Amino acid sequence: MSIDRRKFLKMAGLTALGLSGTGAYELLKPGALEASHGHDAHGSGHGSEAAEDKNRTRWAMLIDMTRCEAADVEKASHACHHAHNVPDMENPKHAIKWLWGETYEGTFPDSHNEYQAHELEHKTFPLMCNHCDKPPCVRVCPTQATFRRPDGIVAMDYHRCIGCRFCMAACPYGSRSFNFVDPRTALKFEDLNKKFPTRYPGAVEKCNFCVERLADGLQPACVEAVPHVFTFGNLADPDSNVRKILRERTSLRRKLELGTKPSVFYLV
Amino acid sequence: MYDAGKVYLGLAIFIGIFTFGFYYSHGTAAPQPKPSIDTPEINKMAKKQCVEDTEFMRSSHMKLLVEWRDEALRNGNRTFVNSRGEKIKISLQNTCLKCHSNKKDFCDRCHTYAMTAPYCWDCHIDPNGGKL
């Protein structure tokens, strides 16, 4: 079969059109294709802040920075790490962090400026997992070891974690730690919280908003340790304690421009 | 056949060595393990029963534990309703090991006998174990 130039060009044109079809679709309706493939199915539909419903729960943490001193961060971190058997590693490269302190610049790198108010500049900000509405860590986890609960908590199922650390690469807040060494080597049996497990080497871990304490009707460990700084409540209920405070106070959230919709608020 | 005597001798020695283990351990079978339920918490109970009946627990405790794990962690439901209608808090460390406070003489006895090493204890703590 012979083919002339005219026929060849027609076929090549059609092929190019076909190949660019997906791209064109993406251009016209961004995200529609991916969503239809179920990539976006991890609970982003429910639990968004926009939906107001008294019967729904969407946990959030408020941190009052006007009342927070470095010692409070230390105290909260200690309470959290004790409650969850988080080891205190000697080598900083092996550090496991659930709740830790950071400078203003480290907390809000995008809004830092050289004429910053002294009051804020020299504060220690407590950091933890932001339990995002659209958590990038959940999106990338290949085993669904990390997942978003209907109440907004981004939970970890350590039984499923294979230690690939995709979630650590995806998390814009550095909220996740990897167990490079056996955490039990840095833990003493006497100091353990016997009600909570430890982790195994090769697992990624992070703050769980004290999901095990919430199940028992308790407040998170950091709230219990430093109640004048941390406030925990339901963001979905317009009459809740956290929503009342948020209506009255100026609040900051970390890296909002990324669209992850974090649920940890810093009151300034 | 050349060297038939040597060949038969060699075969006999081979079979002897090969089956040595069977002769050696014949009649010395390890006794069936007897997991102990002699703990303060169990002795306090009027009717000694686990969350399900003993037969079921003996054969299927591992399946129940996997169900509990998924129910508590992934579905966020930490209450289990057993076949008797009782509500039980789902927790290996805080429910199972509360009564079976003798992991060494309960869990480990059968697991050692059956040569299974469940990785539960890589993370979960035996609160009465005294060490990690």
Side-chain angles (χ1 to χ4, degrees):
Chain A
M1 190 185 104
S2 70
I3 185 164
D4 58 14
R5 181 185 295 199
R6 188 182 163 79
K7 217 173 191 178
F8 171 77
L9 285 174
K10 265 187 188 168
M11 276 160 74
L14 272 176
T15 311
L17 199 71
L19 285 175
S20 60
T22 348
Y25 199 88
E26 189 65 22
L27 200 71
L28 295 169
K29 269 182 116 178
L33 265 189
E34 209 181 43
S36 70
H37 287 300
H39 283 296
D40 207 14
H42 303 306
S44 55
H46 50 246
S48 90
E49 302 144 86
E52 308 237 304
D53 184 359
K54 279 193 172 204
N55 303 320
R56 213 170 51 79
T57 310
R58 201 278 176 256
W59 295 118
M61 183 74 77
L62 266 52
I63 303 171
D64 189 345
M65 286 316 296
T66 56
R67 303 170 80 181
C68 183
E69 300 300 328
D72 295 325
V73 181
E74 189 68 28
K75 201 173 159 193
S77 171
H78 186 265
C80 167
H81 288 187
H82 175 261
H84 299 109
N85 298 328
V86 177
D88 189 10
M89 294 292 184
E90 262 179 51
N91 184 345
K93 286 181 180 171
H94 297 162
I96 309 284
K97 299 182 289 186
W98 283 40
L99 198 165
W100 70 104
E102 183 57 88
T103 59
Y104 179 85
E105 189 177 3
T107 311
F108 302 104
D110 41 321
S111 68
H112 182 255
N113 75 65
E114 59 269 48
Y115 309 114
Q116 198 74 53
H118 258 242
E119 171 70 15
L120 275 181
E121 182 73 24
H122 298 291
K123 280 264 185 206
T124 303
F125 284 72
L127 304 191
M128 62 179 91
C129 170
N130 279 286
H131 297 276
C132 308
D133 261 5
K134 293 188 182 285
C137 52
V138 170
R139 236 181 110 105
V140 298
C141 180
T143 59
Q144 288 178 22
T146 191
F147 58 100
R148 193 168 177 279
R149 287 160 45 105
D151 60 5
I153 296 180
V154 177
M156 271 294 293
D157 183 350
Y158 298 110
H159 304 96
R160 283 202 195 182
C161 180
I162 55 169
C164 70
R165 294 187 274 154
F166 282 13
C167 55
M168 293 178 70
C171 176
Y173 306 105
S175 299
R176 292 173 163 269
S177 308
F178 184 69
N179 283 284
F180 283 99
V181 294
D182 187 350
R184 290 191 169 188
T185 54
L187 289 166
K188 272 201 218 108
F189 183 80
E190 303 79 53
D191 304 335
L192 289 177
N193 172 15
K194 310 283 192 298
K195 289 186 166 176
F196 200 77
T198 67
R199 264 70 58 195
Y200 56 91
V204 174
E205 59 181 277
K206 68 168 193 78
C207 155
N208 64 354
F209 255 11
C210 283
V211 67
E212 82 287 356
R213 292 172 59 92
L214 295 177
D216 288 346
L218 294 166
Q219 289 273 301
C222 53
V223 180
E224 200 178 88
V226 198
H228 64 278
V229 172
F230 294 90
T231 313
F232 190 74
N234 183 4
L235 204 59
D237 176 5
D239 300 326
S240 70
N241 56 346
V242 290
R243 287 291 295 275
K244 271 180 191 152
I245 298 172
L246 284 174
R247 267 199 292 275
E248 289 162 11
R249 301 277 305 269
T250 308
S251 58
L252 298 174
R253 284 191 280 173
R254 298 183 67 204
K255 304 189 184 178
L256 268 179
E257 71 280 10
L258 298 175
T260 57
K261 296 190 178 175
S263 69
V264 176
F265 296 76
Y266 295 88
L267 306 170
V268 291
Chain B
M1 194 157 80
Y2 298 110
D3 293 329
K6 282 179 188 165
V7 169
Y8 285 127
L9 184 69
L11 268 178
I13 291 171
F14 171 74
I15 289 166
I17 292 171
F18 195 78
T19 55
F20 171 73
F22 296 100
Y23 294 118
Y24 185 75
S25 62
H26 184 73
T28 57
Q32 195 189 344
K34 287 196 175 64
S36 161
I37 52 163
D38 179 24
T39 68
E41 211 48 54
I42 296 174
N43 287 337
K44 257 191 262 171
M45 294 166 87
K47 193 172 178 229
K48 288 180 187 173
Q49 56 184 9
C50 201
V51 296
E52 294 285 2
D53 58 83
T54 311
E55 266 324 300
F56 176 83
M57 291 312 289
R58 196 169 283 166
S59 64
S60 312
H61 61 278
M62 56 300 259
K63 286 178 194 157
L64 185 76
L65 284 173
V66 167
E67 260 172 49
W68 274 25
R69 178 190 80 184
D70 291 343
E71 205 51 45
L73 260 174
R74 300 207 75 91
N75 303 336
N77 169 26
R78 289 180 191 247
T79 309
F80 170 72
V81 181
N82 68 10
S83 57
R84 301 191 290 267
E86 296 161 342
K87 283 183 182 167
I88 288 145
K89 190 189 168 186
I90 293 182
S91 174
L92 173 64
Q93 260 171 248
N94 303 320
T95 302
C96 302
L97 291 182
K98 192 177 125 222
C99 291
H100 296 291
S101 52
N102 55 343
K103 172 177 171 281
K104 214 179 190 143
D105 294 329
F106 186 76
C107 313
D108 291 354
R109 273 195 188 168
C110 285
H111 290 160
T112 308
Y113 178 78
M115 261 182 84
T116 56
Y119 55 63
C120 311
W121 315 110
D122 288 2
C123 294
H124 288 278
I125 300 161
D126 171 13
N128 305 296
K131 63 174 170 44
L132 273 174

